[in-house]
Amino acid sequence: TGLIPQLAQCFWDGRDGRFVQDPVEQLVALRVYGLALGYEDLNDHDELREDELLGILVEKSDPQEALAGKSTLNRVELTTNGRDRYKKVVVDEEAVESFFVGMYLQSRRRAPRRIILDLDATDDPLHGKQEGRFFHGFHGCYCYLPLYIFSDDGYPLWAQLRRSNIDAAAGSKEAVEKIVDEIRQHWPKVKILLRADSGFAREELMVWCESNQVDYLFGLAKNPRLIRQIEEALEQARQQFDETGKSARLFCDFSYITRKSWSRERRVIGKAEHLAKGSNPRFIVTSLSAQHYPARDLYEKTYCRRGDMENRIKEQQLALFADRTSSSRMKANQLRLWFSTAAYLLIHQFRRLGLKGTRMARAQCDTIRLKLLKIGAQIKISVRRILISLASGYPYERIFAQVYRNLIRAGPTCT
C-alpha cells in the first residue's frame, strides 16, 4: 500500500548525508513495524537492531548489518525544529494529518455513495509529570484526552493528542473541516455523515455541518425538557414491560431547540425504553430527514453502530500501544500516537487485503500478531539468497498460505 514510504515523506532530514547510516524511511519503518510486532518500548530496539529478518523488512542493503538502536530512534521522537545539533529529523505535522486521509482515499478504486465519519474522545492515563497533563474529573486521573476520527470501515483518519482540561469536542470542527476538504477534493459528490456521542452535539459543529452539506447524527444528553417530550411513550413502554416482562422500546420524533445554546430547531429522536432496572430514555439529534430516515432505523441501525469505533480505539490502545505517551514532551507523545496509528493502519490493511475470505478476516490486532506474525522460523543468509524455514507443525499453515496468495493477487494498491 506504500504506507511506509508515504509516511517517511512527512519527515524532513537535516542530517549530513555523508554520515547517515539509517535513512528516514528505515527509521520510520523500524518504529511502525516494531509497534505492529508488539515492541512498544524504544529500549527493545537495542535487541531488535540485530534482527536479520527486520533488516530485510526495512530493506537494509546488508540484512546482517546492525539497524538503528534506541538512541537514534529517540532523537527522531524528540526533535524540535531541526536546529538542534543532535536532533535533525523533523516531522511535518500537517503532512502527517493529510497522510492518514490520503491512505484512506487510495484504498478505494471508486468513490463510495456515502462516508460515515465516527468521532470520539478517550482518556490516556498518565503516570508521570508529562507536559500538558491535567486531572480529569470524569476519568478520575491525570490524563491526555486524544481525539480520534475513524471511517465506518475502520480506517483511522485523525489521531490528535490533546490536554484534558478541554471539552471533548474541542478542535473537532477544525479536524472535520480538514478531512472533509481533502475527501471532497478527491470525491466531490460523496455524501458525508458525522456520527458521535453527546459530547459532540455542539452548536459550532452542527452549524458548520449545516453550512457545508455534511449530515450529522449525534447523541444528545437528556434533560427534564427532553424527557417531558416523551413522557407518554415512556408510560406506554412501562405498561408493555409490566405485561410481558420483557424490555419495551418506543421511539418519538420531534423538533427541539435549547433555550440558549442552539440557534435553530433541529430534529430530535427520543428512545422511550423500559428495562428490568427501570426507565432508560435516550436521545439523538440529526440533520437527516424523517422522510428518508425513520426514527427506529436511524437509531438502531445507524447510530448504535458507532460502538464499533470504540472497539477500534481500544484495539489500538491495548494492542498497538497508543497510550504509551511517557515522554516528558507533548510533541514527542503526539508523534508516538501517530506511529501507533500508522501501525494500526498497517494491520488494518493486512486484515483487509490479506485476511479477506479467511476465518480471521475480523481478527483483532493482537490475535493477528500472535498467530501470523510472531511465529518461529529458521533464517539462513548466504551470498546468493535468504532462506526462511517455517515449522511443518505450524497450526495456521493454510491461513498463512492463503494470506500470501491474497497479497500477491492484490499487488501494489497505492496510487
Side-chain angles (χ1 to χ4, degrees):
T1 61
L3 186 152
I4 297 297
Q6 292 184 61
L7 181 57
Q9 289 175 9
C10 301
F11 291 79
W12 174 77
D13 190 352
R15 298 173 295 175
D16 189 332
R18 295 174 299 170
F19 308 107
V20 172
Q21 293 182 345
D22 304 290
V24 169
E25 187 169 326
Q26 288 185 12
L27 299 178
V28 170
L30 279 173
R31 200 68 180 99
V32 174
Y33 289 148
L35 290 167
L37 291 169
Y39 301 106
E40 61 181 292
D41 203 314
L42 287 179
N43 290 335
D44 295 326
H45 285 272
D46 268 7
E47 299 291 337
L48 292 175
R49 64 188 314 219
E50 306 296 337
D51 189 320
E52 296 165 343
L53 189 54
L54 195 56
I56 296 169
L57 280 175
V58 303
E59 300 183 11
K60 196 81 170 175
S61 56
D62 180 1
Q64 295 177 301
E65 182 182 337
L67 299 165
K70 64 179 181 181
S71 299
T72 303
L73 294 171
N74 187 52
R75 286 195 291 271
V76 174
E77 287 191 354
L78 294 179
T79 189
T80 52
N81 55 11
R83 298 175 184 173
D84 189 285
R85 180 178 179 181
Y86 300 106
K87 306 178 182 71
K88 294 186 177 181
V89 178
V90 183
V91 62
D92 183 337
E93 297 180 356
E94 291 188 2
V96 177
E97 292 170 353
S98 297
F99 157 78
F100 289 109
V101 182
M103 291 300 298
Y104 171 66
L105 296 174
Q106 292 173 23
S107 70
R108 290 177 174 267
R109 299 183 185 276
R110 297 179 181 177
R113 186 179 66 85
R114 183 177 75 172
I115 298 172
I116 299 178
L117 302 181
D118 285 311
L119 295 79
D120 203 0
T122 189
D123 64 310
D124 177 4
L126 301 175
H127 306 286
K129 295 186 177 180
Q130 289 94 324
E131 177 187 7
R133 78 173 193 140
F134 284 92
F135 187 84
H136 196 288
F138 179 81
H139 297 293
C141 63
Y142 285 92
C143 63
Y144 289 135
L145 193 70
L147 170 67
Y148 287 94
I149 302 178
F150 279 74
S151 67
D152 59 329
D153 54 353
Y155 277 85
L157 303 179
W158 193 267
Q160 179 184 359
L161 199 65
R162 305 177 301 174
R163 302 169 187 265
S164 61
N165 62 334
I166 57 172
D167 180 62
S172 58
K173 182 183 77 70
E174 292 76 13
V176 168
E177 188 172 4
K178 182 178 178 65
I179 291 171
V180 169
D181 181 60
E182 293 193 29
I183 289 175
R184 283 187 168 160
Q185 286 182 27
H186 199 74
W187 299 322
K189 296 182 180 180
V190 68
K191 295 181 180 179
I192 299 175
L193 171 68
L194 299 190
R195 184 169 60 185
D197 62 21
S198 59
F200 292 84
R202 301 292 184 260
E203 172 73 3
E204 180 186 36
L205 185 55
M206 290 189 288
V207 167
W208 183 88
C209 289
E210 291 159 354
S211 302
N212 290 273
Q213 293 77 52
V214 174
D215 288 311
Y216 57 83
L217 179 60
F218 298 145
L220 186 62
K222 60 186 175 184
N223 60 50
R225 286 184 61 211
L226 284 169
I227 292 175
R228 283 198 295 271
Q229 291 278 355
I230 63 171
E231 278 183 344
E232 292 184 9
L234 283 171
E235 177 60 24
Q236 291 178 28
R238 185 192 65 79
Q239 292 176 4
Q240 289 183 21
F241 176 82
D242 291 341
E243 292 173 0
T244 64
K246 298 179 180 180
S247 60
R249 178 183 290 187
L250 301 172
F251 290 88
C252 302
D253 205 326
F254 56 93
S255 295
Y256 176 79
I257 185 172
T258 62
R259 287 175 175 165
K260 294 182 179 179
S261 58
W262 287 7
S263 59
R264 49 162 291 183
E265 282 192 345
R266 295 184 169 98
R267 182 191 179 195
V268 170
I269 295 169
K271 180 187 72 168
E273 185 176 44
H274 199 92
L275 308 171
K277 294 182 179 180
S279 180
N280 181 41
R282 290 287 187 270
F283 301 90
I284 58 175
V285 58
T286 183
S287 61
L288 298 170
S289 68
Q291 180 181 358
H292 298 101
Y293 298 91
R296 178 180 289 272
D297 288 349
L298 193 59
Y299 190 96
E300 295 181 337
K301 295 182 179 180
T302 305
Y303 178 72
C304 288
R305 289 183 179 176
R306 65 165 297 276
D308 189 57
M309 183 210 180
E310 297 177 359
N311 294 331
R312 303 285 75 77
I313 293 176
K314 291 177 183 177
E315 189 177 16
Q316 186 177 334
Q317 284 191 318
L318 296 176
L320 295 166
F321 320 110
D323 58 353
R324 190 69 164 85
T325 48
S326 54
S327 174
S328 61
R329 294 179 51 216
M330 193 167 182
K331 186 173 181 179
N333 288 325
Q334 172 66 81
L335 185 53
R336 288 185 174 187
L337 177 59
W338 279 331
F339 279 140
S340 169
T341 307
Y344 174 84
L345 178 58
L346 182 71
I347 299 294
H348 179 70
Q349 295 278 42
F350 178 78
R351 185 162 45 198
R352 179 179 69 92
L353 298 170
L355 291 171
K356 183 179 181 181
T358 73
R359 58 189 174 90
M360 289 180 62
R362 295 179 60 84
Q364 293 191 350
C365 294
D366 49 356
T367 302
I368 294 171
R369 176 193 298 146
L370 178 66
K371 296 183 177 181
L372 294 175
L373 304 183
K374 297 290 290 291
I375 56 178
Q378 279 189 343
I379 303 171
K380 296 180 181 179
I381 299 179
S382 66
V383 175
R384 293 180 299 140
R385 65 178 183 174
I386 301 166
L387 182 64
I388 302 171
S389 302
L390 295 155
S392 59
Y394 173 50
Y396 302 100
E397 179 182 355
R398 290 185 179 179
I399 294 180
F400 191 96
Q402 181 62 51
V403 169
Y404 179 79
R405 289 192 294 269
N406 287 348
L407 293 176
I408 292 296
R409 191 179 304 116
T413 61
C414 60
T415 56

